Amino acid sequence: MLLGMDMEIVLFDGFDELDALGAWEVLSGAASLIEDLTVRLVTLDGAREVRADHGAVIRSQAALSQRPDVLIVPGGGWLDRSAEGAWGQAVRGELPQALAERHARGTVIASVCTGALLLAASGILAGRRATTNPRAVEELSAAGAQVVRARVVDDGDIVTGGAPACSLDVAIHLLGRYYGPQATAAATRALQYELPPPEHYLP
């Protein structure tokens, strides 16, 4: 069993609720059972209220760490070019820069849905295998990623997931990657969730 694993989910105004909170449901539940697994909701500027894409208001717990072991990036607001959400974050540039810095320090970066476009904006997806919301795959390809149509694509230090419900798949995949099949089984039992067949994943 790994000890001292630190996973963070970065929030920003306009993030998609399911992208982030599906992963939170899985990982925070696992953290209650796995010794020294820490999971936090973070923002670039510390603990604050964050208004999500569909109107939920969530309070983040801390500022983004300098080097979390795993950082999960949701999407939201990209397809409609919202001033908030992933599109707005890409335009402003602070979050993509923070992702590039953490990746350079050794953080595994994961995304859900159009969060992959934030990874692309950071420059870390050039030439890398990745997936995103089916409605954004052409943009992801244009940004230089090698698009794979799958629910989860694990390309080593970058893990990407498809549309919002794939937040569950990404989080369960990460649990299995770091803690083994027993952790995967426990998570799926707790959620009463059946993982799609293996061909929907690209390890």
Side-chain angles (χ1 to χ4, degrees):
M1 177 177 291
L2 296 178
L3 298 178
M5 174 67 66
D6 182 15
M7 297 188 181
E8 297 184 350
I9 302 169
V10 63
L11 305 182
F12 45 84
D13 291 311
F15 78 91
D16 181 84
E17 286 92 335
L18 185 53
D19 285 7
L21 298 181
W24 169 257
E25 173 81 12
V26 174
L27 296 173
S28 63
S32 69
L33 302 173
I34 298 174
E35 182 181 1
D36 287 345
L37 170 59
T38 301
V39 183
R40 285 187 294 268
L41 298 172
V42 301
T43 68
L44 288 183
D45 41 12
R48 69 173 179 90
E49 289 191 344
V50 186
R51 182 172 295 277
D53 188 38
H54 300 289
V57 178
I58 306 296
R59 185 166 183 82
S60 63
Q61 299 164 303
L64 174 62
S65 300
Q66 290 300 308
R67 190 198 174 283
D69 295 298
V70 177
L71 177 60
I72 299 174
V73 183
W78 186 277
L79 297 173
D80 59 6
R81 298 300 194 258
S82 173
E84 300 298 342
W87 171 261
Q89 291 295 328
V91 170
R92 285 188 283 276
E94 292 91 348
L95 182 53
Q97 180 179 344
L99 299 179
E101 290 170 353
R102 271 65 180 182
H103 184 253
R105 294 177 189 138
T107 295
V108 171
I109 307 288
S111 68
V112 179
C113 198
T114 56
L117 278 302
L118 280 170
L119 273 59
S122 77
I124 67 174
L125 279 190
R128 302 295 295 270
R129 299 178 304 164
T131 192
T132 187
N133 187 302
R135 294 169 61 194
V137 293
E138 291 184 3
E139 284 189 82
L140 189 62
S141 178
Q146 295 182 21
V147 172
V148 179
R149 292 181 180 269
R151 292 182 68 88
V152 176
V153 176
D154 186 330
D155 201 36
D157 56 357
I158 296 174
V159 178
T160 51
C166 295
S167 61
L168 299 176
D169 301 74
V170 167
I172 291 169
H173 175 78
L174 290 168
L175 282 180
R177 170 171 160 167
Y178 290 108
Y179 295 101
Q182 289 185 330
T184 298
T188 54
R189 276 198 311 272
L191 294 168
Q192 199 173 359
Y193 181 68
E194 293 185 14
L195 288 172
E199 59 265 24
H200 292 278
Y201 294 81
L202 183 66

